[in-house]
């Protein structure tokens, strides 16, 4: 049976949408002119649009559909839970089985002492929780002046006021007067774009030590926490040099500040371990999770809290005046639990680690030989290629950043591949269940799209490095 109104003509849906739907991260005028792409169904790692075009979903929805589309168990568990208890809140000393079971499951899967869960409806909400919670934590210890949070330029932590402030996206800050006070940002460990002549290891150390100098500058007694993604996702799959995280961990251990690790993208198998913190040997005090937790089938996010933080809040914090109507929503919790059951039963993370991620790494690396590519990098099931007019020099384009990336993205769509552009970096993060054969298909498509992009850029006179502008 078709979902509601799937039969309407594309133009009619586009017209309704253009008239009434304001989209996230979209230039509405540009979209209205061409008409939104209408996605109508999905199966496995593929999507279909309303014109019948098949697309390989190289972005797992939006980094979230780890198990791929059409998993009957997730659909059925949602229906069963909705019949039993579609909603009840978890405020005022109440719980229900899905929230209790999911909390225990997350505590079991999460690394170290992350044994406590505060549920939210999204990653952004969870990061709002984190901001209030770390400040409340220090205030409970009699140190309310420890309130500044250090984030990173080009980090992404969500779109709410607090989350967008914690993130370091300049264009986001420029709209709506962000960041809010009490949040500062240090430079990112982006060796390809900012490393210059230093080796990746030197650069990683230098960028980590910016945290130390920022703590010195502001004063340890004023700083509540540092927040970072293990691998920056929305920033362009920026994998820090090996020297980065050990140095950040050393600094956080030596200083009295909390480490918030945002695993909204890197959590639940994306990096080839259950968490990016496992991959990079990080010990978070608080971890943000969302996306892959429910394979994207229903919206859910959460903050995982380490014992020593939860103990202080329990012993000294009193009531935490914070919560969302849908914190611990029974249906989303049931779907998340089922997602985690499937991941464990089918050994999804192990398969990524031992089979498909090494295969992707090897196949993806071949793209580095393309005359348009300055670097190809991957970590687990996330990967990036850097477009460049002079790859050996890692040169940026003379044209406005994002021009080449946009052209490449459109060519990918036209060829049935969803590969996202971040500036002139092309990124993928396919469903974790992608097979080797499907990886081959994705690489062949990507290479074909790079050839076409190369031709298009040459034809438009865009193969010019910034130094020659
Ligand atoms: N933290 C991280 C690390 C994220 O990647 C969020 C928090 C916010 O989660 P919610 O559920 O509130 O969206 C994210 C979200 C992109 C893109 O274009 C990435 C995200 C969201 C939308 C677009 O890469 N990540």
């Amino acid at each position: 049976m078709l979902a509601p109104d799937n039969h309407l003509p594309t133009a009619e849906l586009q017209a309704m949408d253009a008239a009434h739907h304001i989209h996230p991260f979209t230039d509405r005028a540009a979209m209205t002119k061409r008409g939104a792409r209408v996605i109508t169904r999905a199966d496995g790692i593929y999507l279909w649009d309303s014109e019948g075009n098949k697309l390989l979903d190289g972005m797992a929805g939006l980094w979230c559909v780890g198990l791929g589309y059409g998993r009957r168990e997730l659909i059925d568990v949602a229906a069963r839970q909705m019949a039993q208890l579609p909603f009840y809140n978890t405020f005022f000393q109440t719980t229900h089985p899905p929230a209790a079971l999911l909390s225990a499951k997350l505590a079991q899967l999460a690394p170290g002492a992350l044994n406590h869960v505060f549920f939210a409806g999204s990653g952004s909400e969870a990061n709002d929780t984190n901001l209030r919670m770390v400040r409340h934590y220090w205030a409970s210890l009699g140190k309310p002046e420890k309130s500044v949070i250090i984030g990173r330029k080009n980090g992404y932590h969500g779109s709410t006021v607090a989350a967008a402030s914690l993130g370091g996206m300049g264009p986001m800050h420029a709209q709506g007067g962000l960041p809010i006070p009490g949040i500062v940002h240090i430079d990112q460990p982006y060796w390809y774009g900012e490393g210059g002549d230093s080796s990746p290891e030197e650069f990683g150390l230098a960028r980590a030590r910016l945290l130390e100098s920022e703590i010195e500058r502001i004063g340890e007694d004023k700083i509540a926490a540092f927040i970072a993604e293990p691998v920056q996702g929305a920033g362009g799959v920026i994998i820090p040099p090996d020297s980065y995280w050990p140095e950040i961990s050393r600094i956080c251990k030596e200083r009295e500040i909390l480490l918030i690790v945002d695993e909204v993208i890197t959590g639940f198998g994306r990096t080839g371990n259950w968490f990016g913190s496992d991959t990079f040997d990080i010990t978070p005090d608080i971890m943000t999770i969302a996306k892959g937790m429910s394979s994207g089938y229903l919206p859910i996010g959460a903050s995982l809290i380490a014992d020593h933080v939860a103990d202080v809040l329990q012993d000294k914090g009193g009531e935490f005046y914070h919560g969302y109507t849908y914190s611990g929503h029974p249906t989303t919790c049931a779907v998340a639990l089922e997602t985690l059951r499937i991941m464990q039963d089918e050994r999804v993370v192990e398969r990524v680690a031992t089979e498909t991620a090494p295969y992707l790494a090897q196949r993806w690396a071949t793209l580095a030989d393309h005359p348009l590519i300055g670097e190809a990098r991957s970590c687990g099931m996330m990967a990036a290629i850097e477009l460049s007019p002079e790859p050996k020099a890692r040169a940026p384009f003379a044209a406005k950043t994002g021009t080449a990336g946009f052209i490449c993205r459109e060519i990918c769509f036209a060829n049935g591949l969803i590969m996202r552009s971040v500036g002139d970096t092309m990124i993928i993060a396919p469903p974790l269940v992608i097979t080797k054969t499907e990886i081959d298909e994705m690489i062949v498509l990507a290479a074909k799209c790079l050839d076409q992009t190369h031709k298009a850029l040459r034809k438009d006179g865009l193969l010019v490095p910034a130094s020659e502008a």
Side-chain angles (χ1 to χ4, degrees):
M1 204 179 79
L2 281 180
D5 298 330
N6 239 4
H7 58 282
L8 290 178
T10 303
E12 205 171 312
L13 290 164
Q14 287 171 326
M16 270 190 276
D17 194 84
H20 304 294
H21 182 186
I22 301 180
H23 292 237
F25 283 90
T26 298
D27 178 335
R28 197 177 186 190
M31 192 200 73
T32 301
K33 216 186 291 167
R34 64 185 283 178
R37 188 173 287 108
V38 182
I39 301 295
T40 52
R41 67 187 177 91
D43 189 36
I45 66 160
Y46 298 99
L47 299 161
W48 282 265
D49 70 15
S50 54
E51 297 297 296
N53 297 306
K54 184 181 177 185
L55 297 157
L56 192 163
D57 186 6
M59 283 307 295
L62 203 49
W63 314 86
C64 49
V65 187
L67 292 177
Y69 300 97
R71 289 298 305 232
R72 200 67 240 173
E73 307 93 312
L74 299 179
I75 301 159
D76 291 345
V77 84
R80 281 202 308 277
Q81 183 59 46
M82 287 181 99
Q84 171 99 18
L85 179 72
F87 175 77
Y88 197 71
N89 72 70
T90 55
F91 288 46
F92 321 132
Q93 309 193 5
T94 303
T95 193
H96 42 64
L101 286 161
L102 181 58
S103 324
K105 184 55 149 187
L106 289 169
Q108 183 205 336
L109 290 174
L114 295 170
N115 289 318
H116 312 267
V117 187
F118 193 104
F119 286 113
S122 66
S124 300
E125 284 180 9
N127 278 325
D128 274 50
T129 299
N130 294 341
L131 179 136
R132 296 199 59 212
M133 190 179 276
V134 297
R135 288 180 174 169
H136 180 50
Y137 166 86
W138 289 115
S140 302
L141 284 172
K143 298 180 179 178
E145 67 288 349
K146 271 177 86 67
S147 64
V148 174
I149 302 177
I150 303 176
R152 300 185 302 180
K153 291 176 194 160
N154 200 37
Y156 188 79
H157 300 297
S159 267
T160 52
V161 169
S165 296
L166 293 169
M169 298 293 181
M172 290 178 79
H173 290 173
Q175 296 173 340
L178 303 183
I180 53 172
I183 296 172
V184 297
H185 301 88
I186 58 173
D187 284 328
Q188 57 178 336
Y190 179 30
W191 177 79
Y192 177 88
E194 300 175 5
D197 292 334
S198 58
S199 72
E201 297 318 297
E202 287 164 356
F203 180 72
L205 268 186
R207 285 288 156 104
R209 285 179 184 155
L210 291 179
L211 176 61
E212 200 157 43
S213 41
E214 195 66 358
I215 295 170
E216 297 286 339
R217 187 179 73 77
I218 297 169
E220 193 174 321
D221 56 338
K222 299 275 188 309
I223 298 173
F226 172 60
I227 182 167
E229 308 151 76
V231 173
Q232 288 154 259
V237 183
I238 293 168
I239 306 162
D242 290 343
S243 55
Y244 184 76
W245 273 109
E247 187 67 357
I248 290 284
S249 296
R250 175 191 70 75
I251 295 164
C252 287
K253 237 176 246 139
E254 286 177 16
R255 307 292 180 145
E256 200 189 29
I257 65 171
L258 297 174
L259 174 59
I260 307 169
V261 180
D262 187 338
E263 298 240 19
V264 167
I265 281 177
T266 52
F268 303 100
R270 181 57 61 193
T271 67
N273 285 293
W274 274 92
F275 296 94
S277 292
D278 300 319
T279 301
F280 293 92
D281 197 19
I282 308 168
T283 307
D285 298 301
I286 295 178
M287 183 191 282
T288 323
I289 54 174
K291 293 195 189 270
M293 177 169 26
S294 63
S295 203
Y297 277 52
L298 285 175
I300 187 167
S303 305
L304 298 181
I305 320 293
D307 291 335
H308 64 101
V309 177
D311 289 349
V312 167
L313 291 170
Q314 183 160 329
D315 296 344
K316 300 190 161 74
E319 180 169 344
F320 187 31
Y321 301 113
H322 180 83
Y324 310 106
T325 301
Y326 302 124
S327 287
H329 188 290
T331 309
T332 61
C333 286
V335 168
L337 262 176
E338 185 65 3
T339 300
L340 302 178
R341 182 197 65 73
I342 294 172
M343 288 184 70
Q344 285 194 302
D345 285 1
E346 297 184 2
R347 303 176 58 78
V348 171
V349 182
E350 289 84 342
R351 211 168 62 84
V352 167
T354 58
E355 288 179 39
T356 48
Y359 189 67
L360 174 71
Q362 175 207 330
R363 297 289 279 120
W364 191 258
T366 62
L367 297 175
D369 300 332
H370 194 278
L372 190 58
I373 298 303
E375 183 180 77
R377 55 179 181 264
S378 74
C379 175
M381 272 296 152
M382 57 201 298
I385 40 180
E386 299 276 4
L387 306 182
S388 169
E390 266 181 15
K392 282 202 177 61
R394 307 192 336 245
F397 289 91
K400 186 167 174 263
T401 304
T403 307
F406 181 80
I407 289 169
C408 184
R409 189 188 79 181
E410 293 304 294
I411 286 172
C412 289
F413 262 119
N415 281 285
L417 172 65
I418 297 185
M419 174 152 72
R420 215 164 85 53
S421 60
V422 177
D424 296 319
T425 311
M426 304 306 299
I427 61 177
I428 52 133
L432 301 179
V433 294
I434 191 170
T435 63
K436 286 185 179 177
T437 312
E438 290 165 338
I439 289 173
D440 284 337
E441 183 190 342
M442 184 171 71
I443 299 288
V444 168
L445 270 174
K448 176 177 160 194
C449 295
L450 288 177
D451 286 343
Q452 291 183 16
T453 303
H454 202 205
K455 273 202 198 101
L457 294 176
R458 184 176 298 125
K459 186 165 140 281
D460 293 346
L462 291 170
L463 276 180
V464 181
S467 54
E468 287 173 25

